Structures are given as C-alpha cells and as structure tokens.
C-alpha cells in the first residue's frame, strides 16, 4: 500500500485520512454515552475536516481555531501529556483498549494528531492512515477471541481491498465528500461483528 500511497494527489490527502478515520468515528458516535465531552471535541474536528474536503481547501485560521484546542500535543519521556489542555489530554492515559468508546477515542486522538502535524508542516501525511481501520478491526476481532483468524476474515479482506481501490482513485482529481466516507466498503460486513467489552 505504501507504493500506492505515494501516488495520492496532495489535494486528496485529507479525504484519505478522513476515510480511514470514519470507521472509528462511526463506532464512537454510536457509543459515546459517558464520553460526551470527548465526542464533542472530536466531532468539531471531524466536521471541520469534512467541510474542508468538500471545499478542497483548508482555511488556516479556522483550522487553528478548531485543532488548536488539542494540538500540538507535547509529551514527556514516558509518553504522558505535558500541560494537558483539554479532556482528551487529561484522560488519555486512563483510556482502555477494552472499552469500545475509549479505544475509539484513543485512535481518533492519534489520527487527528497526524492531520494536524501534516497540515501545519505542509508535508505529505497519512502514509500510515490505512492502519487505523485495521486497528479497529483487530480490536473488535480480538474482543471476540478470534485473533488467530484475523487476516483470513472477510471483514479484514474487504477493508484491504477497499483501501487498494481507493488509493487508485485518489491518484486522480475527484469530488469525494462525507457521503463517500465508506466508499468501496461493505457496511454489512463492517457491522457483522460486535466489540465485546471485557
């Protein structure tokens, strides 16, 4: 996938990243009870990014206003947040992979950090974005005790095929928007396995 990613047009990078965030975001949107403050902050970034995808441009002032509440994130040598500014920073170290909402929040904090770093640096970003839905799937599969079968599961094969198709598309100009956030994915497969909290 790394070779195909190198062909993605700069104008399509934000869509690629948001497409990969969509699965974790949708799960959190459905399961954010008790995490409303986390979800609201992540939703603000989500909404901003999809608006930017549709406009084919990122307004730098608006971007800083939205993302600046959380990023840049600074860490100490042990990986703990320095000067935690918001609910995402303050609770990050306590979030557990065994609770679906917390698992998704952790992944989304990292994914939006990648977007922030890429946009503010002006460099290409998202080379590893395709790993995010795979991590979500692995977490769901592991919660069901099926880790050994992971790579052969239809839900995983479908995601890898969808990524390959989308990467080809993104080497050309396009008009994708939030309505395309699950392009090439089979939603019934994505919803075929539930996360079992421990």
């Amino acid at each position: 996938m790394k070779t195909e990613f190198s062909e993605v047009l700069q104008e399509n990078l934000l869509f690629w990243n948001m497409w990969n965030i969509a699965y974790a975001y949708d799960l959190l949107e459905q399961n954010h009870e008790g995490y409303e403050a986390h979800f609201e902050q992540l939703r603000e970034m989500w909404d901003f990014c999809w608006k930017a995808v549709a406009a084919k441009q990122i307004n730098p002032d608006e971007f800083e206003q939205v993302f600046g509440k959380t990023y840049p994130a600074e860490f100490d040598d042990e990986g703990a947040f320095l000067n935690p500014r918001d609910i995402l920073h303050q609770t990050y170290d306590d979030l557990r992979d065994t609770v679906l909402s917390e698992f998704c929040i952790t992944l989304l904090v990292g994914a939006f950090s990648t977007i922030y770093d890429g946009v503010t640096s002006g460099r290409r970003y998202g080379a590893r974005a395709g790993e995010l839905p795979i991590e979500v799937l692995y977490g769901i599969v592991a919660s069901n005790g099926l880790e050994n079968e992971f790579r052969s599961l239809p839900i995983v094969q479908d995601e890898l095929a969808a990524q390959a198709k989308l990467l080809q598309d993104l080497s050309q100009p396009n008009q994708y928007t939030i309505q395309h956030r699950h392009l090439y994915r089979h939603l019934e497969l994505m919803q075929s396995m539930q996360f079992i909290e421990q």
Side-chain angles (χ1 to χ4, degrees):
M1 299 268 183
K2 298 270 189 215
T3 305
E4 290 87 350
F5 174 74
S6 67
E7 302 297 318
V8 173
L9 299 180
Q10 184 77 20
E11 69 185 58
N12 293 330
L13 290 179
L14 185 56
F15 179 81
W16 166 248
N17 281 267
M18 295 304 293
W19 183 86
N20 281 294
I21 288 172
Y23 193 22
Y25 183 86
D26 287 351
L27 288 171
L28 181 61
E29 185 175 42
Q30 297 162 13
N31 300 281
H32 66 271
E33 186 176 332
Y35 301 91
E36 289 82 3
H38 296 79
F39 178 68
E40 282 306 309
Q41 198 152 341
L42 292 164
R43 186 170 62 89
E44 190 176 3
M45 290 184 270
W46 167 267
D47 290 345
F48 173 85
C49 287
W50 281 115
K51 180 179 161 189
V53 166
K56 289 274 190 204
Q57 67 176 1
I58 297 172
N59 179 304
D61 294 333
E62 284 184 47
F63 179 80
E64 191 54 45
Q65 183 179 7
V66 172
F67 276 74
K69 296 174 186 174
T70 304
Y71 305 105
E74 297 179 56
F75 304 92
D76 65 18
D77 293 337
E78 281 102 43
F81 278 100
L82 292 171
N83 304 317
R85 292 185 272 165
D86 62 21
I87 188 82
L88 298 175
H89 289 189
Q90 293 159 6
T91 61
Y92 187 84
D93 292 333
D94 299 323
L95 298 175
R96 300 158 291 175
D97 289 348
T98 55
V99 176
L100 180 60
S101 300
E102 296 182 14
F103 176 56
C104 291
I105 290 166
T106 303
L107 294 174
L108 291 167
V109 167
F112 281 122
S113 178
T114 297
I115 291 172
Y116 178 84
D117 293 343
V119 170
T120 56
S121 71
R123 292 191 295 264
R124 284 181 66 79
Y125 60 98
R128 299 181 61 196
E131 294 174 16
L132 186 110
I134 299 299
E135 284 184 54
V136 173
L137 291 173
Y138 186 81
I140 292 170
V141 167
S143 77
N144 284 266
L146 300 171
E147 302 95 322
N148 295 334
E149 301 168 45
F150 182 71
R151 293 197 65 79
S152 63
L153 292 172
I155 191 173
V156 176
Q157 293 303 312
D158 182 69
E159 176 61 27
L160 294 173
Q163 287 187 23
K165 286 180 189 174
L166 183 63
L167 283 168
Q168 287 180 342
D169 283 3
L170 297 180
S171 66
Q172 303 294 319
N174 65 67
Q175 295 298 314
Y176 292 147
T177 65
I178 192 170
Q179 284 75 32
H180 301 101
R181 70 185 177 278
H182 296 301
L183 183 67
Y184 298 126
R185 292 178 172 132
H186 295 97
L187 289 179
E188 63 279 357
L189 263 181
M190 292 173 68
Q191 298 163 352
S192 65
M193 193 175 291
Q194 299 299 313
F195 188 93
I196 299 173
E197 294 191 352
Q198 306 299 317

